Amino acid sequence: MRSLFIFIILMTGAQAAERLVIAHRGASGYLPEQSIAAISMAHAQGADLIEIDLVMTSDDRIVVLHDPYLNNLSSVPAVFSDHARKDGKYYVVDFTLEELRALELSERFNDEGASFPDRFPVHKSSFEIFTFEEAIELIEGLNKSTGKDIGLLVEIKLPEFHFENGKDIAYEALKVIKCYNYLKRSDNIVLQDFDFNSLKRIREVLFPAMDMELKLNQLLDGSDRYDWMRQPDGMAFLSNFVDGIGPHMGIVVDERSTKDDIIITPLVQMAHDAGLWVHVFTFRADEGMIPDYADDFEDLLDIFWNKAGIEGVITDFADRAIKFKDKNK
Ligand code: CA
């Protein structure tokens, strides 16, 4: 009886420790984020899920981009100098898809130069912006040609900003997803957003109206608009609408932690008590991106997987997380 009891505990432990590696914007540690090349490389690396972000164009197409503007990822000022708004930004929603196709997509940069100096060089080779439909077809095509079953984690960016610009991005994204026949919770796609109201609307209004039901993930960080979720009652309420949470690493392991004193916040336990998974962002191996409490990238993974007990890591370096996962089974 006792050994059965121990066996059940071990089984429960094994289940709780099921680990997912999620490639953040494709293999963005190695190639310009969300390019076809970066997504293909993440697929070849063998990530469990590939994360992409969606933004809308002026002609109601959905493109795979993180920022609502193009300034830090493309050659835009040289090509469309008249398209900037008063704040100096070139918003995707002011461009047609055809105009976006004329741009070169670049490794991310800022006023000082490359955002990640050791990554792929800025403005080199040739990459282009592509659509949500093309991303789905790319993953499905690679799944077919390789025999793998890699899923998509789709982030709907800034629903409120899109509404202000006359676009219902959540609805438009669901229409595309439905066209590709992703209709049920068992389908290999997860939708995520920082905007709780948008996720709630998807669950309560759009899913029933469109006869679909997919898995949803609530993103959150340390800002006070998420304070209510970071309480047991709030987390239980949240679990009525979503299947998991995607917290910033700083609210899972306290940033005041040191190597001798890793402070795990109650967030993961609260989420698990509410029946939610925890997929943490963003694990980066670049110099200067490892918190002081971890020795290196692998130690950071060890802390989050083995000490904090999370399920998924969202990382720019899926290859290294997979290697760590395989070695520490
Ligand atoms: Ca994202």
Side-chain angles (χ1 to χ4, degrees), residues 160 194-196 221-229:
E160 256 183 68
F194 279 100
D195 186 329
F196 169 70
D221 58 23
S223 64
D224 55 13
R225 75 168 164 145
Y226 301 109
D227 280 354
W228 68 266
M229 291 178 195

PDB file of all heavy atoms in Angstrom, residues 160 194-196 221-229:
ATOM      1  N   GLU A 160      -6.927  46.756 -27.990  1.00  0.00           N
ATOM      2  CA  GLU A 160      -7.507  48.101 -27.810  1.00  0.00           C
ATOM      3  C   GLU A 160      -6.966  49.089 -28.824  1.00  0.00           C
ATOM      4  O   GLU A 160      -7.708  49.885 -29.402  1.00  0.00           O
ATOM      5  CB  GLU A 160      -7.211  48.606 -26.397  1.00  0.00           C
ATOM      6  CG  GLU A 160      -8.412  48.534 -25.493  1.00  0.00           C
ATOM      7  CD  GLU A 160      -8.115  49.114 -24.125  1.00  0.00           C
ATOM      8  OE1 GLU A 160      -7.910  50.330 -24.032  1.00  0.00           O
ATOM      9  OE2 GLU A 160      -8.067  48.313 -23.169  1.00  0.00           O
ATOM     10  N   PHE A 194      -1.976  39.915 -23.445  1.00  0.00           N
ATOM     11  CA  PHE A 194      -1.835  40.612 -22.160  1.00  0.00           C
ATOM     12  C   PHE A 194      -3.171  41.206 -21.720  1.00  0.00           C
ATOM     13  O   PHE A 194      -3.335  41.595 -20.573  1.00  0.00           O
ATOM     14  CB  PHE A 194      -0.811  41.756 -22.282  1.00  0.00           C
ATOM     15  CG  PHE A 194       0.624  41.305 -22.174  1.00  0.00           C
ATOM     16  CD1 PHE A 194       1.402  41.127 -23.307  1.00  0.00           C
ATOM     17  CD2 PHE A 194       1.203  41.067 -20.938  1.00  0.00           C
ATOM     18  CE1 PHE A 194       2.731  40.724 -23.216  1.00  0.00           C
ATOM     19  CE2 PHE A 194       2.525  40.662 -20.833  1.00  0.00           C
ATOM     20  CZ  PHE A 194       3.292  40.487 -21.968  1.00  0.00           C
ATOM     21  N   ASP A 195      -4.121  41.309 -22.663  1.00  0.00           N
ATOM     22  CA  ASP A 195      -5.377  42.008 -22.419  1.00  0.00           C
ATOM     23  C   ASP A 195      -6.446  41.014 -21.942  1.00  0.00           C
ATOM     24  O   ASP A 195      -7.004  40.264 -22.749  1.00  0.00           O
ATOM     25  CB  ASP A 195      -5.796  42.689 -23.733  1.00  0.00           C
ATOM     26  CG  ASP A 195      -7.012  43.580 -23.571  1.00  0.00           C
ATOM     27  OD1 ASP A 195      -7.879  43.273 -22.712  1.00  0.00           O
ATOM     28  OD2 ASP A 195      -7.105  44.569 -24.308  1.00  0.00           O
ATOM     29  N   PHE A 196      -6.736  41.044 -20.642  1.00  0.00           N
ATOM     30  CA  PHE A 196      -7.709  40.096 -20.087  1.00  0.00           C
ATOM     31  C   PHE A 196      -9.087  40.272 -20.722  1.00  0.00           C
ATOM     32  O   PHE A 196      -9.765  39.290 -21.044  1.00  0.00           O
ATOM     33  CB  PHE A 196      -7.811  40.256 -18.565  1.00  0.00           C
ATOM     34  CG  PHE A 196      -8.967  39.501 -17.968  1.00  0.00           C
ATOM     35  CD1 PHE A 196      -8.965  38.108 -17.915  1.00  0.00           C
ATOM     36  CD2 PHE A 196     -10.086  40.168 -17.487  1.00  0.00           C
ATOM     37  CE1 PHE A 196     -10.039  37.402 -17.400  1.00  0.00           C
ATOM     38  CE2 PHE A 196     -11.165  39.476 -16.970  1.00  0.00           C
ATOM     39  CZ  PHE A 196     -11.145  38.093 -16.919  1.00  0.00           C
ATOM     40  N   ASP A 221       2.605  40.690 -16.307  1.00  0.00           N
ATOM     41  CA  ASP A 221       3.909  41.108 -15.787  1.00  0.00           C
ATOM     42  C   ASP A 221       3.699  41.726 -14.411  1.00  0.00           C
ATOM     43  O   ASP A 221       2.646  41.561 -13.808  1.00  0.00           O
ATOM     44  CB  ASP A 221       4.598  42.053 -16.780  1.00  0.00           C
ATOM     45  CG  ASP A 221       3.768  43.290 -17.075  1.00  0.00           C
ATOM     46  OD1 ASP A 221       2.901  43.656 -16.237  1.00  0.00           O
ATOM     47  OD2 ASP A 221       3.972  43.891 -18.148  1.00  0.00           O
ATOM     48  N   GLY A 222       4.685  42.451 -13.921  1.00  0.00           N
ATOM     49  CA  GLY A 222       4.620  42.984 -12.563  1.00  0.00           C
ATOM     50  C   GLY A 222       3.824  44.279 -12.436  1.00  0.00           C
ATOM     51  O   GLY A 222       3.727  44.837 -11.339  1.00  0.00           O
ATOM     52  N   SER A 223       3.237  44.775 -13.531  1.00  0.00           N
ATOM     53  CA  SER A 223       2.516  46.046 -13.443  1.00  0.00           C
ATOM     54  C   SER A 223       1.209  45.866 -12.664  1.00  0.00           C
ATOM     55  O   SER A 223       0.661  44.767 -12.579  1.00  0.00           O
ATOM     56  CB  SER A 223       2.256  46.615 -14.839  1.00  0.00           C
ATOM     57  OG  SER A 223       1.415  45.752 -15.558  1.00  0.00           O
ATOM     58  N   ASP A 224       0.696  46.994 -12.114  1.00  0.00           N
ATOM     59  CA  ASP A 224      -0.417  46.859 -11.159  1.00  0.00           C
ATOM     60  C   ASP A 224      -1.736  46.453 -11.820  1.00  0.00           C
ATOM     61  O   ASP A 224      -2.655  46.027 -11.140  1.00  0.00           O
ATOM     62  CB  ASP A 224      -0.565  48.109 -10.275  1.00  0.00           C
ATOM     63  CG  ASP A 224      -0.717  49.378 -11.092  1.00  0.00           C
ATOM     64  OD1 ASP A 224      -0.949  49.264 -12.312  1.00  0.00           O
ATOM     65  OD2 ASP A 224      -0.602  50.475 -10.508  1.00  0.00           O
ATOM     66  N   ARG A 225      -1.816  46.532 -13.161  1.00  0.00           N
ATOM     67  CA  ARG A 225      -3.089  46.102 -13.761  1.00  0.00           C
ATOM     68  C   ARG A 225      -3.311  44.586 -13.612  1.00  0.00           C
ATOM     69  O   ARG A 225      -4.398  44.075 -13.864  1.00  0.00           O
ATOM     70  CB  ARG A 225      -3.207  46.555 -15.219  1.00  0.00           C
ATOM     71  CG  ARG A 225      -2.392  45.813 -16.238  1.00  0.00           C
ATOM     72  CD  ARG A 225      -2.866  46.220 -17.649  1.00  0.00           C
ATOM     73  NE  ARG A 225      -1.895  45.844 -18.663  1.00  0.00           N
ATOM     74  CZ  ARG A 225      -2.231  45.444 -19.884  1.00  0.00           C
ATOM     75  NH1 ARG A 225      -3.489  45.349 -20.224  1.00  0.00           N
ATOM     76  NH2 ARG A 225      -1.308  45.129 -20.755  1.00  0.00           N
ATOM     77  N   TYR A 226      -2.247  43.863 -13.209  1.00  0.00           N
ATOM     78  CA  TYR A 226      -2.406  42.413 -13.000  1.00  0.00           C
ATOM     79  C   TYR A 226      -2.448  42.027 -11.519  1.00  0.00           C
ATOM     80  O   TYR A 226      -2.469  40.850 -11.191  1.00  0.00           O
ATOM     81  CB  TYR A 226      -1.274  41.647 -13.702  1.00  0.00           C
ATOM     82  CG  TYR A 226      -1.249  41.913 -15.190  1.00  0.00           C
ATOM     83  CD1 TYR A 226      -0.242  42.681 -15.760  1.00  0.00           C
ATOM     84  CD2 TYR A 226      -2.260  41.425 -16.017  1.00  0.00           C
ATOM     85  CE1 TYR A 226      -0.236  42.954 -17.126  1.00  0.00           C
ATOM     86  CE2 TYR A 226      -2.267  41.702 -17.373  1.00  0.00           C
ATOM     87  CZ  TYR A 226      -1.255  42.461 -17.923  1.00  0.00           C
ATOM     88  OH  TYR A 226      -1.265  42.730 -19.265  1.00  0.00           O
ATOM     89  N   ASP A 227      -2.459  43.042 -10.631  1.00  0.00           N
ATOM     90  CA  ASP A 227      -2.444  42.730  -9.191  1.00  0.00           C
ATOM     91  C   ASP A 227      -3.568  41.768  -8.803  1.00  0.00           C
ATOM     92  O   ASP A 227      -3.363  40.851  -8.018  1.00  0.00           O
ATOM     93  CB  ASP A 227      -2.563  44.024  -8.368  1.00  0.00           C
ATOM     94  CG  ASP A 227      -1.225  44.753  -8.272  1.00  0.00           C
ATOM     95  OD1 ASP A 227      -0.210  44.185  -8.746  1.00  0.00           O
ATOM     96  OD2 ASP A 227      -1.195  45.876  -7.744  1.00  0.00           O
ATOM     97  N   TRP A 228      -4.753  41.991  -9.382  1.00  0.00           N
ATOM     98  CA  TRP A 228      -5.902  41.154  -8.980  1.00  0.00           C
ATOM     99  C   TRP A 228      -5.711  39.688  -9.344  1.00  0.00           C
ATOM    100  O   TRP A 228      -6.214  38.789  -8.655  1.00  0.00           O
ATOM    101  CB  TRP A 228      -7.208  41.693  -9.567  1.00  0.00           C
ATOM    102  CG  TRP A 228      -7.364  41.596 -11.056  1.00  0.00           C
ATOM    103  CD1 TRP A 228      -7.050  42.564 -11.961  1.00  0.00           C
ATOM    104  CD2 TRP A 228      -7.883  40.493 -11.819  1.00  0.00           C
ATOM    105  NE1 TRP A 228      -7.327  42.135 -13.243  1.00  0.00           N
ATOM    106  CE2 TRP A 228      -7.842  40.877 -13.188  1.00  0.00           C
ATOM    107  CE3 TRP A 228      -8.368  39.220 -11.487  1.00  0.00           C
ATOM    108  CZ2 TRP A 228      -8.270  40.034 -14.222  1.00  0.00           C
ATOM    109  CZ3 TRP A 228      -8.798  38.388 -12.513  1.00  0.00           C
ATOM    110  CH2 TRP A 228      -8.748  38.791 -13.857  1.00  0.00           C
ATOM    111  N   MET A 229      -4.958  39.429 -10.405  1.00  0.00           N
ATOM    112  CA  MET A 229      -4.732  38.032 -10.822  1.00  0.00           C
ATOM    113  C   MET A 229      -3.753  37.321  -9.903  1.00  0.00           C
ATOM    114  O   MET A 229      -3.746  36.105  -9.843  1.00  0.00           O
ATOM    115  CB  MET A 229      -4.124  37.990 -12.227  1.00  0.00           C
ATOM    116  CG  MET A 229      -5.032  38.409 -13.319  1.00  0.00           C
ATOM    117  SD  MET A 229      -4.128  38.362 -14.891  1.00  0.00           S
ATOM    118  CE  MET A 229      -5.274  39.311 -15.884  1.00  0.00           C
TER     119      MET A 229
END
